Amino acid sequence: MTAQGRDPQPASARVPLPIVVLISGRGSNMRAIAERARDGRLPVEVRAVISDKPQAPGLTIAQSFGITTHTLAPSAYVDRAAYDRALAELVASYEPALVVLAGFMRILSAEFVERFAGRIMNIHPSLLPKYRGLHTHQRVLEAGDREHGASVHFVTQELDGGPVIIQALIDVKPNDTVDSLSARVQRQEHIIYPQAIEWFAQGRLAMEGERVYLDGKPLARPVVIDAREH
Ligand code: GAR
């Protein structure tokens, strides 16, 4: 730890970039990342996958890739602060240059976020800043929105509020359901998350303060992948 209380920040252009992935469930985004890493399409080394849920199907997927897995169950800790301290220690033990939240359904403490500041990414199933929080597909349908999507963002203290790096845009069809929307959003998630991670691994992407830089220039607005079916 440095005097500021942070771990030393490894340069992001280390190849392959060591990452740790946090999950709570299915793990399809983690799988998209692990597959590309295995095939040499994404210059990262997934050092560990950590779940807060012992039954998370993503754990088995990670093991099938030969990735080390851990379950850290919140019930084993007295409170959120103790849990997050243990989680931060476990994550830090793998010396990741990037912490990847892939369907990790817990709110991280300010201490955790500060410790890995500028080195935590999240994927969220909406066009942020719209629909932070849960049940995004349902809320999109209820609002009658014509467009929906997914966002990859750097994590800050504000829940689902960190600066957005890249978004995928899809259209909402008249007969869409939560399941059909979720499936199409997920297909796009599996494209934009590896893309953002690749930029970071290449040293092209960084967050300083709360500003995102891509190729040395401030990113005024997120990169948008238009996946609407015109
Ligand atoms: C993804 O759709 C992700 O956007 C969402 O959880 C799903 C995890 O799927 N994350 C959030 O809602 C975070 N607020 P996966 O386990 O198959 O990757």
Side-chain angles (χ1 to χ4, degrees):
M1 298 258 282
T2 64
Q4 291 78 37
R6 286 186 194 162
D7 292 322
Q9 300 224 357
S12 66
R14 280 161 61 190
V15 173
L17 189 85
I19 69 171
V20 168
V21 184
L22 306 191
I23 64 167
S24 295
R26 184 173 37 193
S28 71
N29 279 284
M30 181 274 300
R31 182 205 290 270
I33 294 160
E35 271 173 1
R36 286 164 176 77
R38 181 194 58 198
D39 301 347
R41 286 181 286 154
L42 185 61
V44 301
E45 176 198 349
V46 185
R47 290 204 170 156
V49 169
I50 302 170
S51 171
D52 59 329
K53 301 245 169 47
Q55 306 304 334
L59 288 169
T60 316
I61 297 172
Q63 286 153 11
S64 75
F65 282 89
I67 298 169
T68 302
T69 60
H70 295 271
T71 299
L72 209 59
S75 56
Y77 296 87
V78 287
D79 57 19
R80 177 179 295 276
Y83 179 83
D84 274 24
R85 272 197 300 277
L87 181 63
E89 283 305 315
L90 180 59
V91 169
S93 72
Y94 287 96
E95 301 184 348
L98 183 67
V99 180
V100 173
L101 308 184
F104 186 65
M105 303 306 279
R106 283 181 63 83
I107 297 171
L108 292 165
S109 63
E111 289 72 22
F112 187 101
V113 173
E114 172 61 21
R115 181 163 179 178
F116 300 99
R119 294 189 285 144
I120 315 175
M121 274 186 207
N122 183 41
I123 186 143
H124 184 77
S126 79
L127 295 171
L128 291 172
K130 292 183 86 171
Y131 306 116
R132 296 177 183 185
L134 299 174
H135 311 301
T136 58
H137 310 305
Q138 182 66 41
R139 288 155 68 201
V140 162
L141 289 172
E142 282 166 8
D145 290 3
R146 307 288 300 276
E147 291 175 349
H148 185 31
S151 307
V152 177
H153 65 96
F154 280 111
V155 172
T156 60
Q157 313 276 356
E158 195 185 346
L159 181 65
D160 297 331
V164 178
I165 302 158
I166 183 168
Q167 294 183 316
L169 184 62
I170 66 164
D171 33 24
V172 180
K173 299 174 183 173
N175 54 353
D176 259 325
T177 61
V178 167
D179 285 349
S180 66
L181 266 186
S182 161
R184 290 211 310 290
V185 165
Q186 282 237 308
R187 270 205 294 282
Q188 297 306 317
E189 290 188 337
H190 302 162
I191 296 168
I192 62 174
Y193 215 177
Q195 176 62 84
I197 294 167
E198 182 180 1
W199 286 334
F200 192 85
Q202 292 168 332
R204 294 174 57 189
L205 175 70
M207 181 175 77
E208 282 162 30
E210 292 218 355
R211 177 164 274 194
V212 175
Y213 293 83
L214 184 60
D215 293 330
K217 297 189 199 77
L219 200 59
R221 59 189 72 81
V223 175
V224 175
I225 304 295
D226 189 347
R228 288 175 299 177
E229 299 162 24
H230 298 290

